[in-house]
Amino acid sequence: GERPARGPGAPHRVPEGQFRVATGLDGRSEHVPNMANISLGVIIEKISSNDKDYRYMATSDLLNELSKDTFKADGDMEQRICQLVLKQLDDTSGDISGLAVKCLGLLVRKVGSKRVEELVHVLCKRLVTATSKQENMRDTASMGLKTMVAAVPGGEIAATLANVATPELRAGLVQPNALPEVKSECLEILHDILYRFGSLVSAEHEKLKEALLPELDCSRAGIRKRAIHCLSVLGISLNDSSLADLNGALVMRIKGPTKADLARTYIQAAGALSRSVGYRFGRYLSDCVPLLIKYCQEASEGDDELREICLQALESFVIKCPREIEPCAKSVTKLALEYLRYDPNYADDMEEDDEANPADEEDDAIDSDAEYSDDEDTSWKVRRASSKCISALFLARPDLMVPVYQETCTLLISRLREREESVKLDIFATFADVLRQTASLATLNDNDTCLVILKEEVPRIVKTLVKELRAKSVKPKVASFTLLQELVAVVPESLATHVELLSQVVRDALTEKSANSYLKMEALVFIKRFMESTPPTAFLSQLDVLVAPVTSAVADRYYKVAAEALRACGQLIKIIRPSAAALPASKHVAEVYACVSSRLSAQDQDQEVKEAAILCLGVLLSTVGDHLPSELPKCLSMLVERLRNEITRLTAVKAWFMVAESKISIDLSSVLQAVMFELITFLRKANRPLRHASLTTLESLVTGPNSAKIDEETINRVLTEGSALVSEEDLHISALALVLGKSVLSKYPMCVATVSDTYLPRALTLVASPLVQGQTLAELKSFFASLAQVTAGQGGTDNLQKVLLEQVSDSSSKQSLVSVAHCVAELCVVSGAEKCSSTVNGLVERLPTVSIKLQQVYLFCIGE
């Protein structure tokens, strides 16, 4: 296979097509080898080798060359490469043909439209003419076409590919005696083409529709399924007239007498079409919905699949056409509620279970796994589809569900004891959707009818969920806690009477050996939200039940469980001490402190756990810090350390804010200067949330009980750094900085000179900005009012009014004039009625003698 050696005097031969023409220094043309074509020439030579390994390596090298951004071949080389790749598709080695398929995906991006047309034509011909014995040729041609369709970037090449492939694949679909396998591959590729480039083959739309509709009657279920997919994506590109014809054809097929399997196919096609075309399907609902309801009600006893498909199609109609479904919503709702009870093979009067003995609940739960089960029973599919249809109705049109809210709630509660676990989980999800929509129902209808109904049903819901939480299966337990979370969000006050029962099931979920991480997480999230929304006194009697399992969960190996447990501990602390006056459950303080401290002290912790532990320590110190005299210095030092750590500093600032806002007396003198220094430094950082948190924490510290321990130098630094943030670049931060300056001024009147030097120039610049309004303007007014009150004895009001009016110039915007007027008026109001009168008289007197801009601002001032 090696080429003969070239003699020492023989000229270097460049293969045909592997050169380019260039101009030499003497102006004459000369042949210069094209290095890309030379390397391709070597690859092409090796591809023709009889050695399978040579062919594989050469095809792999070709793939690498084609994947380079710098690849460029002339017309002849493009043609040779395309021919070789097509040849490699037929290689006896599957590895080599697989590489050739990958080459096609790159070639479609690298070669011209003419080559793409040739490739597509050859591949389509191979696909549609393949016999039953040419399975490899059919499969490689199909994979090649799918790869090209997926890889083509769009534009002219995409139009060429789509317009060449579509008619040939359609012809292969309708050819006499076409193999089912060929039809199946043609349908798959047509689906991909129509999905990406349906609008580029508009000339083929009608022909495709005529070719695809008969395939719905095919005896092979796989071909019918692919035909449905093709029709659904074709519908996206059809105009209204063609879409109406397509839907009319489907309706006629549904109406006509037909076999059950074909009826299912037609209904599936209608549902798929509605999912793809969306609201455009709405005009055909009046024809389709009654037919589907009729099919669902008249289906034979064992035809659960037909009922399921009807309900799935109705669900799609509701989701995609929420406005147009209104005339049919009542009948669809009635059908869905009817078939949510559908269980012909099992008699269980769930709705009469309310009076059952509570002592038997645990025994019933234990026996639930031994209930009736039949592998051939498919009625669960109908109940699952009904559940999803009800969910769609509540999500799409909650306003239409108010009349049936009572019936729906009652039925869903009874069906929470569904015997099929997959259906049970769907019913839980549906009930959760109903609960989420309940608040919006009350808002939309301007009444609380649904909330009243839901509150009445809470005892039944809790009883049913507690029974599920005592069963063996884990997934329904997780779903039960999720549902309880939604219930707490909608009617929190209604669960207060069930604190004892719900606390016990949370304890059981956290302590039982079979509990997995997801169950623990959901239980902790629920109990945290439950404690947040319920008066603390309701939980005082349950602290002995909850504290031990929650604090034990803090040590869980899974970081998300540990983080949720720490958040729940934060709520437990607030229950341990509901007010600053009393500490009714002091025995639990040490237990909570120990678990939080152990997490904070550990070195290798997940970020979420670190943050949750820091925040929990902040709650602990701000709530019961005075009852931890020996541990307090260590805790404060830990918080200072976290403040100096770049990873945890933001969370630590939030924790210090809790400590600063605490209503109990905590001596911070040992760490106050260090904390103030770090917070002042943070005001210079680019991290906006950090600046935001630092400003609010500084404001709490300078106005809190420890403010007397802050020296004057630190206060001056606070004013200097805080004033630098007053600008129109960030109005929200500016407002917080103004609040800080005003608080310092109120607490430390002796710093008025520093405020005048730092804050006042910035505030005057900001008031002249056209962007100031809302909260920032309100804080500006409050700042000027505070400054006027502190300097009232030195004529502060007059001076401030003067400098405010000096901010008005000929270029001032209307908004800036309004801002100045607001501030001037605020100064007058805080200075008393006499000052208001004199100011108005002065403005009126000067009004005729000033410029137009000043006249405008004077009038605004008088108006304000």
Side-chain angles (χ1 to χ4, degrees):
E2 293 185 3
R3 282 188 286 182
R6 193 162 44 87
H12 179 80
R13 296 182 61 190
V14 180
E16 182 183 354
Q18 296 184 8
F19 61 85
R20 59 186 173 88
V21 178
T23 304
L25 294 175
D26 56 358
R28 293 181 300 174
S29 296
E30 59 182 21
H31 293 295
V32 181
N34 186 329
M35 299 311 295
N37 283 350
I38 290 174
S39 60
L40 287 172
V42 175
I43 292 172
I44 289 170
E45 182 178 346
K46 289 185 178 181
I47 278 180
S48 304
S49 172
N50 293 327
D51 191 320
K52 182 177 71 173
D53 293 336
Y54 271 32
R55 296 199 308 276
Y56 179 84
M57 292 304 298
T59 309
S60 179
D61 290 342
L62 177 61
L63 182 65
N64 292 333
E65 287 293 325
L66 291 172
S67 63
K68 294 177 181 177
D69 294 335
T70 57
F71 173 83
K72 184 70 176 175
D74 54 35
D76 292 339
M77 183 56 68
E78 280 186 2
Q79 185 175 13
R80 292 182 66 186
I81 293 172
C82 291
Q83 290 172 350
L84 281 168
V85 170
L86 289 172
K87 180 181 177 182
Q88 294 301 89
L89 288 175
D90 296 328
D91 199 285
T92 55
S93 169
D95 293 336
I96 294 173
S97 61
L99 288 175
V101 168
K102 293 180 181 179
C103 288
L104 285 172
L106 296 171
L107 274 176
V108 77
R109 295 171 174 267
K110 304 288 186 178
V111 300
S113 57
K114 183 178 180 181
R115 302 300 172 211
V116 171
E117 182 178 345
E118 293 171 356
L119 286 170
V120 172
H121 176 72
V122 172
L123 292 173
C124 287
K125 186 176 180 181
R126 290 184 180 185
L127 173 60
V128 300
T129 59
T131 64
S132 57
K133 295 181 180 180
Q134 295 174 313
E135 184 178 348
N136 287 338
M137 184 177 78
R138 183 188 69 235
D139 290 345
T140 54
S142 173
M143 287 188 294
L145 284 168
K146 290 175 185 176
T147 303
M148 292 178 71
V149 172
V152 66
E156 181 186 354
I157 301 294
T160 300
L161 185 151
N163 284 292
V164 172
T166 302
E168 298 201 21
L169 292 170
R170 175 180 52 78
L173 192 63
V174 299
Q175 65 181 339
N177 302 320
L179 292 174
E181 294 82 3
V182 172
K183 281 189 173 185
S184 182
E185 297 296 342
C186 287
L187 287 168
E188 282 193 16
I189 300 166
L190 279 172
H191 172 272
D192 294 346
I193 292 173
L194 291 170
Y195 183 77
R196 290 199 65 194
F197 312 114
S199 60
L200 300 179
V201 291
S202 55
E204 287 286 321
H205 284 173
E206 289 300 320
K207 296 176 182 177
L208 281 169
K209 186 175 65 177
E210 298 301 324
L212 291 170
L213 281 171
E215 298 305 322
L216 297 178
D217 302 324
C218 181
S219 59
R220 289 184 174 248
I223 291 178
R224 295 202 303 269
K225 183 178 180 180
R226 289 173 174 82
I228 289 171
H229 292 164
C230 279
L231 282 170
S232 66
V233 293
L234 176 63
I236 299 172
S237 306
L238 290 178
N239 57 41
D240 290 343
S241 175
S242 296
L243 183 60
D245 292 342
L246 175 57
N247 187 73
L250 289 175
V251 171
M252 289 301 296
R253 280 173 161 79
I254 296 172
K255 282 182 177 178
T258 183
K259 297 179 181 178
D261 56 344
L262 294 182
R264 290 194 288 269
T265 299
Y266 302 148
I267 294 169
Q268 278 181 316
L273 190 62
S274 71
R275 282 188 287 273
S276 63
V277 302
Y279 73 94
R280 295 176 64 200
F281 196 86
R283 66 188 70 178
Y284 315 119
L285 291 183
S286 57
D287 295 328
C288 292
V289 172
L291 284 173
L292 267 57
I293 292 175
K294 181 181 178 182
Y295 262 101
C296 195
Q297 293 173 335
E298 296 180 359
S300 60
E301 183 177 345
D303 200 353
D304 295 330
E305 189 177 351
L306 178 58
R307 294 186 178 91
E308 178 194 19
I309 289 169
C310 290
L311 288 163
Q312 287 174 342
L314 291 171
E315 176 197 355
S316 174
F317 297 163
V318 171
I319 293 172
K320 295 298 182 178
C321 311
R323 182 182 299 177
E324 294 81 359
I325 198 66
E326 184 169 350
C328 312
K330 187 175 181 180
S331 55
V332 173
T333 304
K334 182 180 177 182
L335 185 77
L337 292 173
E338 175 186 349
Y339 279 99
L340 188 61
R341 304 182 181 93
Y342 179 75
D343 198 356
N345 298 323
Y346 183 67
D348 180 19
D349 195 358
M350 296 179 180
E351 296 182 16
E352 295 181 3
D353 189 55
D354 291 341
E355 303 302 324
N357 185 357
D360 297 334
E361 287 182 0
E362 190 168 350
D363 295 335
D364 291 344
I366 293 173
D367 295 337
S368 63
D369 292 337
E371 290 177 348
Y372 172 83
S373 178
D374 185 356
D375 293 338
E376 296 181 359
D377 178 23
T378 57
S379 62
W380 61 271
K381 295 182 179 180
V382 180
R383 299 193 297 276
R384 183 182 63 181
S386 298
S387 173
K388 291 182 177 180
C389 191
I390 293 170
S391 175
L393 285 162
F394 267 90
L395 293 174
R397 291 301 301 268
D399 54 312
L400 301 179
M401 303 305 291
V402 175
V404 295
Y405 190 87
Q406 174 77 66
E407 181 183 0
T408 304
C409 275
T410 303
L411 180 58
L412 286 172
I413 294 168
S414 69
R415 294 309 307 176
L416 289 175
R417 292 184 55 205
E418 165 69 41
R419 59 193 176 88
E420 285 287 340
E421 187 171 287
S422 61
V423 181
K424 179 185 287 189
L425 296 177
D426 279 321
I427 293 173
F428 271 102
T430 297
F431 206 173
D433 290 336
V434 171
L435 292 179
R436 292 187 197 103
Q437 293 297 96
T438 301
S440 64
L441 282 171
T443 305
L444 287 170
N445 294 276
D446 198 23
N447 64 66
D448 57 354
T449 304
C450 296
L451 284 174
V452 171
I453 294 172
L454 182 60
K455 289 175 183 177
E456 292 173 353
E457 296 288 354
V458 164
R460 287 189 63 212
I461 297 173
V462 171
K463 179 182 177 182
T464 304
L465 293 179
V466 167
K467 190 170 183 179
E468 288 297 326
L469 289 166
R470 287 174 174 168
K472 292 181 179 179
S473 185
V474 174
K475 288 183 179 179
K477 291 183 181 181
V478 174
S480 297
F481 277 123
T482 304
L483 197 58
L484 284 170
Q485 293 169 28
E486 300 295 340
L487 200 60
V488 166
V490 180
V491 283
E493 66 283 355
S494 299
L495 288 176
T497 55
H498 304 280
V499 167
E500 181 178 356
L501 189 59
L502 293 174
S503 298
Q504 290 171 2
V505 294
V506 168
R507 176 199 60 195
D508 296 341
L510 294 175
T511 55
E512 66 182 24
K513 294 180 180 179
S514 61
N516 62 18
S517 298
Y518 295 108
L519 177 59
K520 291 180 180 179
M521 281 173 55
E522 293 299 324
L524 289 165
V525 171
F526 161 67
I527 197 64
K528 171 182 169 289
R529 294 181 182 177
F530 192 16
M531 290 187 289
E532 285 176 342
S533 59
T534 306
T537 51
F539 274 97
L540 279 174
S541 61
Q542 299 304 310
L543 285 175
D544 292 336
V545 176
L546 289 172
V547 170
V550 172
T551 52
S552 297
V554 171
D556 196 275
R557 295 176 62 184
Y558 186 45
Y559 74 97
K560 284 189 176 293
V561 173
E564 291 297 343
L566 285 164
R567 296 183 187 110
C569 280
Q571 290 301 317
L572 282 174
I573 294 164
K574 295 176 183 178
I575 292 169
I576 291 171
R577 190 175 196 176
S579 66
L583 184 61
S586 57
K587 62 180 181 179
H588 296 295
V589 173
E591 191 174 352
V592 176
Y593 169 77
C595 73
V596 177
S597 177
S598 65
R599 273 297 185 180
L600 274 173
S601 304
Q603 296 297 319
D604 188 16
Q605 297 287 336
D606 185 87
Q607 178 68 13
E608 187 176 352
V609 177
K610 288 179 183 177
E611 293 178 355
I614 292 168
L615 291 175
C616 189
L617 182 61
V619 175
L620 186 71
L621 293 179
S622 63
T623 308
V624 294
D626 53 341
H627 282 263
L628 295 168
S630 58
E631 294 89 354
L632 185 61
K634 178 184 175 182
C635 293
L636 295 176
S637 299
M638 280 195 290
L639 274 184
V640 172
E641 289 174 13
R642 301 305 183 273
L643 201 62
R644 291 169 176 161
N645 187 320
E646 186 176 356
I647 304 298
T648 58
R649 63 189 182 188
L650 177 58
T651 309
V653 172
K654 295 177 182 178
W656 276 111
F657 175 76
M658 297 178 195
V659 175
E661 289 284 296
S662 175
K663 293 180 173 59
I664 63 174
S665 177
I666 304 175
D667 184 10
L668 302 178
S669 56
S670 60
V671 295
L672 187 59
Q673 289 301 116
V675 173
M676 292 291 292
F677 175 81
E678 297 296 334
L679 292 174
I680 293 169
T681 305
F682 293 159
L683 297 182
R684 298 181 180 180
K685 302 295 182 182
N687 188 335
R688 188 174 184 273
L690 183 62
R691 282 183 288 158
H692 181 293
S694 299
L695 284 168
T696 54
T697 306
L698 281 169
E699 195 268 336
S700 295
L701 286 171
V702 299
T703 57
N706 288 275
S707 58
K709 300 166 186 174
I710 305 174
D711 57 47
E712 186 176 351
E713 182 183 353
T714 303
I715 292 297
N716 288 335
R717 284 195 62 211
V718 169
L719 292 172
T720 302
E721 299 297 337
S723 63
L725 298 177
V726 179
S727 73
E728 64 178 10
E729 293 178 2
D730 191 330
L731 295 178
H732 183 60
I733 292 291
S734 295
L736 295 175
L738 287 167
V739 170
L740 176 60
K742 179 186 67 176
S743 299
V744 171
L745 190 62
S746 302
K747 196 74 176 180
Y748 306 93
M750 72 289 297
C751 295
V752 63
T754 307
V755 173
S756 299
D757 292 338
T758 55
Y759 265 88
L760 184 57
R762 290 274 187 167
L764 292 173
T765 303
L766 184 61
V767 81
S769 170
L771 304 177
V772 173
Q773 57 183 324
Q775 184 63 29
T776 308
L777 179 57
E779 296 303 339
L780 269 174
K781 290 163 57 179
S782 182
F783 170 76
F784 283 118
S786 298
L787 190 56
Q789 289 174 330
V790 173
T791 59
Q794 297 84 33
T797 302
D798 293 334
N799 292 333
L800 287 173
Q801 282 185 356
K802 180 180 178 182
V803 293
L804 280 168
L805 292 173
E806 285 175 355
Q807 304 307 308
V808 178
S809 66
D810 292 338
S811 60
S812 296
S813 65
K814 180 179 178 181
Q815 181 58 42
S816 63
L817 300 182
V818 172
S819 300
V820 169
H822 271 283
C823 294
V824 170
E826 187 73 17
L827 291 173
C828 294
V829 169
V830 298
S831 300
E834 183 178 346
K835 183 60 180 175
C836 286
S837 178
S838 63
T839 301
V840 170
N841 291 333
L843 293 173
V844 171
E845 182 179 343
R846 298 195 300 274
L847 193 61
T849 63
V850 296
S851 65
I852 292 178
K853 285 288 183 182
L854 282 175
Q855 286 178 344
Q856 290 176 349
V857 76
Y858 283 5
L859 290 170
F860 280 135
C861 290
I862 295 169
E864 290 297 331

